[in-house]
Amino acid sequence: GAGVSQSPSNKVTEKGKDVELRCDPISGHTALYWYRQSLGQGLEFLIYFQGNSAPDKSGLPSDRFSAERTGGSVSTLTIQRTQQEDSAVYLCASSVDRYTEAFFGQGTRLTVV
Amino acid sequence: SQQGEEDPQALSIQEGENATMNCSYKTSINNLQWYRQNSGRGLVHLILIRSNEREKHSGRLRVTLDTSKKSSSLLITASRAADTASYFCATAYNDMRFGAGTRLTVKP
């Protein structure tokens, strides 16, 4: 595609429900990142995929968070049993590799009520 | 977790003035990048400087890198109201980590 696409743009969910956030990276990009950004804050690193290597999950805040990347393309970030503190904008980015510029999607704004 | 710290957290200047933002980081890097964010959504890449480079220019942007001090600066010359945004540095090594950002306001 022309750019990184994230869906949905906005998601409101009830506390305790599971949510899935989707990221379609730019075709051919081997690196894919997920970040979380709370209002007025910086980007918190969550997880990084590079090609077929094992993902770097060191930023996932708890075992309620998981992510996968199928076929080296689309990625899904899953949050189980959502909590109010999970409310944030979740940003996905992709790049040719980890040493080149990253292209960001517009993010998914998650609100847990 | 975040890699670096931007300084200042917020900066307010008049149009036509220069804006300087600083970034400090903690670990080894392959390169350091600067990004801009409007309205709290997607970030846009501005400039990349490699660890063996000391200075780089792109239009009104000038970036310096001092690996001995683990710091970088972004200078925006002749600022415009449209430069109002948040600016983030990011370090690339095993992955890519961002700092907390500087909120720049340029008053017309």
Side-chain angles (χ1 to χ4, degrees):
Chain A
V4 178
S5 178
Q6 290 188 247
S7 59
S9 294
N10 292 281
K11 176 74 176 178
V12 179
T13 190
E14 292 182 349
K15 178 181 173 180
K17 300 281 190 182
D18 298 352
V19 295
E20 283 190 355
L21 312 180
R22 178 186 169 104
C23 174
D24 280 275
I26 293 173
S27 178
H29 282 191
T30 64
L32 187 147
Y33 308 84
W34 282 99
Y35 298 91
R36 178 169 72 174
Q37 187 177 32
S38 299
L39 188 63
Q41 303 298 309
L43 276 69
E44 177 187 5
F45 170 82
L46 295 178
I47 189 168
Y48 162 61
F49 295 90
Q50 174 60 57
N52 296 321
S53 302
D56 175 359
K57 304 180 182 180
S58 60
L60 295 178
S62 76
D63 58 9
R64 296 187 296 106
F65 289 72
S66 63
E68 62 177 19
R69 187 178 185 190
T70 54
S73 182
V74 172
S75 178
T76 302
L77 177 69
T78 301
I79 309 173
Q80 296 179 310
R81 305 181 302 281
T82 51
Q83 304 294 314
Q84 288 187 327
E85 60 263 30
D86 299 334
S87 295
V89 175
Y90 289 81
L91 292 163
C92 174
S94 72
S95 60
V96 171
D97 61 47
R98 59 185 171 178
Y99 297 139
T100 56
E101 67 175 287
F103 295 82
F104 278 80
Q106 288 303 299
T108 294
R109 183 179 300 280
L110 175 66
T111 304
V112 181
V113 297
Chain B
S1 63
Q2 293 176 312
Q3 159 73 303
E5 302 272 343
E6 274 97 336
D7 166 47
Q9 291 186 330
L11 179 62
S12 182
I13 59 175
Q14 295 292 137
E15 248 185 342
E17 294 180 340
N18 295 342
T20 299
M21 288 160 270
N22 302 296
C23 168
S24 60
Y25 58 92
K26 300 172 185 174
T27 64
S28 298
I29 63 170
N30 173 278
N31 65 69
L32 186 143
Q33 304 175 35
W34 285 88
Y35 289 80
R36 166 193 169 125
Q37 183 181 41
N38 290 86
S39 307
R41 286 296 189 125
L43 280 72
V44 175
H45 180 266
L46 295 176
I47 195 166
L48 180 154
I49 186 165
R50 303 193 190 287
S51 60
N52 61 352
E53 297 177 310
R54 292 297 166 259
E55 188 170 314
K56 203 161 185 179
H57 297 253
S58 177
R60 293 184 296 113
L61 305 180
R62 172 180 170 249
V63 169
T64 62
L65 178 64
D66 186 336
T67 53
S68 67
K69 295 181 179 178
K70 288 187 165 51
S71 68
S72 174
S73 67
L74 171 68
L75 169 67
I76 304 174
T77 60
S79 63
R80 307 165 181 167
D83 294 329
T84 295
S86 291
Y87 293 81
F88 295 89
C89 66
T91 53
Y93 190 60
N94 291 320
D95 48 46
M96 189 165 64
R97 304 283 175 127
F98 283 78
T102 292
R103 174 69 191 170
L104 174 65
T105 301
V106 182
K107 301 175 184 176

